């Protein structure tokens, strides 16, 4: 990969990405939502979900597989339950459309769930949960993706990389946020390793014959990923299929057929978000207790909290600008036309 | 371990365990709740949570550390939120006391949470969630335990084994149920391996000097466990601390001090249970969709679903009686007096 050469203000990157999305067929609202998400990932050093993804976003939009102008339909189902039909569009604008209702239900009922279906999710998951923690809420989200993970004990892939993201407030600190693929490695990281010509650690994936391999290109050429942590990660991946697809009314990772849409890249599935209001807990001291846990984790020698790297990168980007490689910069200019 | 010699009807084992609990200071109600849980684990072949646990139950009751006659106090906090103060007793009777309210809230609000604190949990977690799935509900539970797991990247133990359990209905099938420690191995399984003189696989734990070991006795003698799946399992274990302790008002795994109660064995922490009503989902087809996922998992070669072994053992126990070794049987007779 080329040396980084461009450092630009976050807002400038956001505007550029918005232009690209709009130029390739999204509404202004959808462009704003996706550009913010993608620019945030780049800013926070989460490069596999940063501007690296833009060519694939453009490809999937051009293929007609996803509706960049979809108007999400929000349904108020019960005092703790909101459903959104994303109408074949992206999940982020569907979440944005339901967010206020979801938060108001969580604060009133103590817990609320948002079930999004008929949606495409192609981004990091932590940007979906972190803002809840910034409002003092606890959030958990799961999204299923596309078949590329062999269930533990099975012979062929079935699950998606099926991430789980969690966010919780922490008094006087950045929120505690993690976002983990239930696969041993994220798909974007395999693509990046393949591009760089690097080998992966053992236990990440299998080749097209189902044999273990450390070659990311073999994984991408008809191979598959393995779940993290053996049967436990596999059970969690199954849980993500059940919550993000069966419960929302979305497709399982193995169900959608994009063969009629050459260039399609985005999984057409579902997403579940659970939001809890810790103000309902005994003594209403959640954020202080969370701070105490962090303190104790540091006391036993933990150098870096889960998600902490992102906040460090974010500070750096705020001081020095968001870093984009020369190659990426040229690519973005070309996509912006 | 001795060869199995006793096969007894489930109901007989339950009555025997009830007698033991009552003889050692629990109320009849608490005895019923714990005996059902423990006998179920034995019946389902989950031996590390079966009658193997009875001497420790008796020890902890005799130590005065747990109140076997506690009356849980249930608080109806919001349309989706129930709190229980277990009053220093066991978590299972606290769940039993709040269960009906929790289910009614889940059915009405679509989702509800039960936050138990000031509670001792010393049992398998799947018996807490499986009954919800039998009623057509989806349930997720977490409970923190006692410091014995080194966070990934840290030098000393802090977290408990902190299990996550999940249950979901599946049309025409046993429910889908899993219960996993977020440690690489459950504490009870380390104790069983130590008793049998067996070595553990690599990556399960460290000795008292913090060095990797496969010797279960070294782990028990001042050593500690590792999380499953590296930093991901560690992040999940942290999440369990936040949900089961910070959110409920319970103790973190590292907070309680039982030094004044020789023989104390049970972690005095908290438990969270989230229950979702899939009847609120689009088209209300959750159980059929869940069945479809199972079908596809079998189609890619999965021989055994998560939790399936327990249902097979349960069938066997129903036909042949619940299996107890001669040594265990003698131990139970002695505890029953």
């Amino acid at each position: 990969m080329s040396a980084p050469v461009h450092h630009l203000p976050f807002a400038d990157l956001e505007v550029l990405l918005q232009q690209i999305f709009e130029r390739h067929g999204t509404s202004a609202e959808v462009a704003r939502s996706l550009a913010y998400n993608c620019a945030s990932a780049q800013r926070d050093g989460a490069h596999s979900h940063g501007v690296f993804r833009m060519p694939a976003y453009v490809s999937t939009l051009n293929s007609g597989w996803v509706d960049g102008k979809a108007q999400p339909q929000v349904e108020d189902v019960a005092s703790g339950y909101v459903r959104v039909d994303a109408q074949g569009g992206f999940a982020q604008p569907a979440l944005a459309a339901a967010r206020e209702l979801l938060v108001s239900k969580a604060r009133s009922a103590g817990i609320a769930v948002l079930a999004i279906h008929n949606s495409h999710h192609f981004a990091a998951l932590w940007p979906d949960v972190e803002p809840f923690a910034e409002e003092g809420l606890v959030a958990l989200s799961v999204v299923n993706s596309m078949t590329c993970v062999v269930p533990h004990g099975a012979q062929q892939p079935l699950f998606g990389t099926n991430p789980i993201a969690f966010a919780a407030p922490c008094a006087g600190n950045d929120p505690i946020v993690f976002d983990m693929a239930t696969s041993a490695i994220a798909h974007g990281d395999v693509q990046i390793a393949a591009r760089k010509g690097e080998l992966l650690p053992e236990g990440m994936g299998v080749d097209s014959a189902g044999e273990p391999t450390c070659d990311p290109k073999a994984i991408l050429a008809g191979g598959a990923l393995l779940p993290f942590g053996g049967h436990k990660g596999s059970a969690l991946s199954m849980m993500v299929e059940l919550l993000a697809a069966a419960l929302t009314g979305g497709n399982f990772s193995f169900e959608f057929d994009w063969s009629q849409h050459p260039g399609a890249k985005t999984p057409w599935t579902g997403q579940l978000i659970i939001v809890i209001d810790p103000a309902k807990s005994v003594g209403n001291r959640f954020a202080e207790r969370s701070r105490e846990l962090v303190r104790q984790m540091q006391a036993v020698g933990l150098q870096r909290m889960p998600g902490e790297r992102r906040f460090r990168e974010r500070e750096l980007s705020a001081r020095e600008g968001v870093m984009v490689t020369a190659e990426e910069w040229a690519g973005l200019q070309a996509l912006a036309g």
Side-chain angles (χ1 to χ4, degrees), chain A:
Chain A
M1 217 175 221
S2 338
V5 292
H6 278 271
H7 286 88
L8 68 166
F10 178 76
D12 292 3
L13 179 59
E14 222 184 333
V15 167
L16 177 62
L17 299 184
Q18 273 178 43
Q19 283 172 3
I20 296 172
F21 282 116
E22 285 194 64
R23 177 160 186 258
H24 293 275
T26 77
S27 66
E29 207 173 334
V30 169
R32 262 196 306 276
S33 178
L34 296 180
Y36 178 75
N37 178 301
C38 184
S40 299
Q42 187 72 19
R43 174 197 65 193
D44 292 5
H47 292 133
S48 65
H49 289 99
V51 300
F52 166 76
R53 293 255 156 172
M54 290 304 292
Y57 268 118
V58 167
S59 168
T60 209
L61 281 161
N62 290 347
S63 77
W65 170 241
V66 61
D67 180 358
K69 294 190 164 76
Q71 302 272 354
Q73 302 299 309
V74 179
E75 274 183 278
D76 184 340
V77 179
S79 67
Y81 208 110
V82 184
R83 290 199 306 233
V84 191
D85 181 341
Q87 302 274 340
F90 288 100
Q92 289 79 9
L95 166 56
R99 199 177 184 289
E100 198 177 314
L101 182 61
L102 176 65
V103 167
S104 110
K105 282 183 186 294
R107 293 209 189 275
S108 146
I111 186 169
V113 61
L114 175 63
I116 302 173
H117 74 289
N118 197 3
S119 54
H120 294 251
H121 202 293
F122 193 57
L125 197 51
W126 56 263
D128 296 354
V129 293
E130 189 184 296
F132 293 104
E134 282 162 359
E135 291 185 63
L137 300 165
V138 173
L140 182 68
S141 184
V142 291
V143 59
N144 63 318
S145 56
M146 60 204 170
T147 292
C148 62
V149 173
V150 183
H152 184 80
Q155 274 74 55
Q156 292 165 47
L158 185 73
F159 299 148
T161 53
N162 296 5
I164 300 175
F166 175 80
C170 183
N173 269 39
D174 294 320
I176 299 177
V177 183
F178 67 75
D179 173 3
M180 58 172 72
T182 53
S183 52
I185 186 169
H187 210 267
D189 288 326
V190 179
Q191 292 169 48
I192 286 181
R195 188 172 293 191
K196 289 186 183 176
E198 292 174 356
L199 287 181
L200 300 173
E202 283 185 20
M204 303 287 117
V206 293
D207 63 20
S208 59
E211 298 299 321
T213 182
C214 295
D215 179 1
K217 293 192 178 91
I219 291 174
L220 297 173
L225 304 178
L226 293 172
F228 92 96
H231 72 279
K232 294 186 182 189
S234 189
L236 290 169
S237 188
M238 175 192 73
M239 179 184 80
V240 173
E241 295 286 342
L242 289 170
L243 293 177
L247 195 65
T248 64
N251 289 315
F252 287 125
S253 296
F254 53 85
E255 283 186 320
F256 51 86
D257 172 16
W258 53 23
S259 58
Q260 301 309 303
H261 296 269
K265 300 281 183 190
T266 46
W268 179 38
T269 58
Q271 178 179 11
L272 196 81
I273 304 176
I274 294 171
V275 179
I276 306 176
D277 182 9
K280 298 287 187 291
S281 64
V282 176
N284 190 9
R285 295 182 55 240
F286 182 85
E288 288 73 29
R289 297 284 290 148
S290 156
R291 176 73 190 97
E292 173 61 13
L293 181 64
V294 171
R295 209 182 339 253
Q296 294 297 333
M297 288 171 74
Q298 290 165 340
V300 295
L302 199 80
Q303 298 292 319
R304 201 173 71 188
M305 285 290 296
E308 188 174 327
R309 189 177 60 83
R310 281 196 300 274
F311 291 105
R312 298 293 149 267
E313 293 276 342
R314 195 178 300 180
E315 284 169 13
L316 193 68
S317 296
R319 283 201 306 276
E320 303 184 357
V322 182
M323 200 178 82
V324 173
T325 67
E327 191 184 339
E328 285 166 343
W329 181 249
L332 293 178
Q333 297 300 327
L335 292 175

